[in-house]
Amino acid sequence: MTDALKRLSDEGVAIWLDDLSRKRITSGNLAELIDEQHVVGVTTNPTIFQKAISSGDGYEQQLEDLAARKVTVEEAVRMITTADVRDATDILRPVFDATGGQDGRVSIEVDPRLAHNTKATIAEAKQLAWLVDRPNTLIKIPATKAGLPAITEVIGNGISVNVTLIFSLERYREVMDAYQAGLEKAKAKGLDLSLIHSVASFFVSRVDTEIDKRLDALGTDEAKALRGKSAVANARLAYQAYEEVFSTDRWSALENAGANKQRPLWASTGVKDPAYKPTLYVDDLVAPNTVNTMPEATLQATEEHGEITGNTIAGTYEQARADLDAVEALGIAYDDVVQVLEDEGVDKFEASWNDLLKSTEAVLERLAPSEG
């Protein structure tokens, strides 16, 4: 074993696990990852819960109880997912306390079917924060156009947020603006800004998947030479935007009032193309005050093969811009790529949520007590 995970952590990268299940909680596996592999947070999404609950492992008794109470399938899913998140936050509570609230966090997502409904997203975020009832929860809100005002409102209510499904640099700037606007609202209400935290989940691997597909369709040597460069370039330019936004006078005023920077979080860091090294989106995105949330396979690959050589983002902005410009010059429109990815991201999470509802409903019907 290398101690790549420790080196990564020492470079200022918070290592979060992109997975959660009841078995992981009850078996002691999550506690083990915290103790032995430098994991300091957990992210979930509708797809993760769909896989966990559909496996049935550890959920039988709760599902039986829910069936006996004849709850709706929506209520059942919420009871199950918030129970897992609550238990995970309790396991991570010592990390939360030791880091002054920065880490030790567990994320739970609003119903993905609400991605284009601002008012319902706000209501759902408040409800989830109330249901989990732990200070180290992050409520995930997608960075759709409708999500932006919801982010401002939820932060303004003092609820910590993980903004998810960010693909474009322009949208990322809008997210940072929405966060600051939320803090300004919270400040006007007299809330303690030091208790409000946020991360901005900038998706990585899917950018290569989409752009590489288009490069392959062109098939030229020039196109082939650009494969596997876009995702890292896009994320590095996001970090440049982060550095710019959090060095403005507007931010200084909030920081002086106790506000915390919204950290960039590298999401979707599992490599999709077997031609690329499995730690590509970890090794090449090392910079202070970032989070990298990894599926377990990526966590293990980093532990075994990670090449952590210090900050790999500083000094790369010119090359990153050149790489994206070269892709654009071949006729692959960046704005189209990121919009396709956002639309697909929302659709995939919604499909996973619908699958989860269907499979849970089938179990509830099977377990429903006979009348009389």
Side-chain angles (χ1 to χ4, degrees), residues 167-178:
F167 296 96
S168 85
L169 296 165
E170 182 186 359
R171 183 59 54 83
Y172 178 41
R173 286 182 181 273
E174 291 173 338
V175 164
M176 290 187 282
D177 179 67

Side-chain angles (χ1 to χ4, degrees), residues 106-284:
V106 184
S107 298
I108 184 168
E109 189 145 350
V110 296
D111 185 332
R113 295 172 299 179
L114 307 177
H116 302 297
N117 184 329
T118 302
K119 196 171 178 183
T121 294
I122 295 165
E124 171 96 344
K126 288 175 174 173
Q127 172 75 354
L128 283 174
W130 177 81
L131 271 174
V132 178
D133 193 27
R134 294 292 186 274
N136 48 330
T137 315
L138 288 172
I139 308 301
K140 285 179 93 172
I141 297 175
T144 55
K145 277 292 185 189
L148 295 171
I151 292 157
T152 295
E153 192 62 31
V154 173
I155 291 285
N157 281 315
I159 296 169
S160 294
V161 172
N162 175 344
V163 183
T164 188
L165 288 176
I166 308 171
F167 296 96
S168 85
L169 296 165
E170 182 186 359
R171 183 59 54 83
Y172 178 41
R173 286 182 181 273
E174 291 173 338
V175 164
M176 290 187 282
D177 179 67
Y179 174 59
Q180 291 179 95
L183 289 172
E184 286 157 356
K185 279 194 167 200
K187 185 181 173 188
K189 289 179 185 173
L191 299 181
D192 184 349
L193 300 192
S194 71
L195 300 179
I196 304 170
H197 286 260
S198 183
V199 292
S201 294
F202 200 86
F203 278 54
V204 186
S205 66
R206 294 186 195 183
V207 174
D208 270 342
T209 302
E210 182 63 28
I211 290 180
D212 285 357
K213 182 174 76 179
R214 300 184 188 203
L215 290 168
D216 289 345
L218 292 173
T220 63
D221 288 345
E222 194 181 2
K224 285 175 192 166
L226 289 168
R227 290 184 94 261
K229 291 186 175 180
S230 301
V232 167
N234 199 39
R236 285 172 169 175
L237 292 174
Y239 192 78
Q240 180 185 34
Y242 156 79
E243 287 184 316
E244 287 171 4
V245 168
F246 291 104
S247 60
T248 61
D249 291 343
R250 180 189 186 189
W251 174 250
S252 294
L254 287 165
E255 194 166 44
N256 291 337
N260 301 289
K261 286 178 181 172
Q262 181 186 54
R263 287 182 293 171
L265 178 151
W266 311 129
S268 180
T269 56
V271 170
K272 307 287 194 289
D273 188 330
Y276 304 148
K277 61 179 179 177
T279 58
L280 172 65
Y281 304 126
V282 179
D283 297 350
D284 289 6

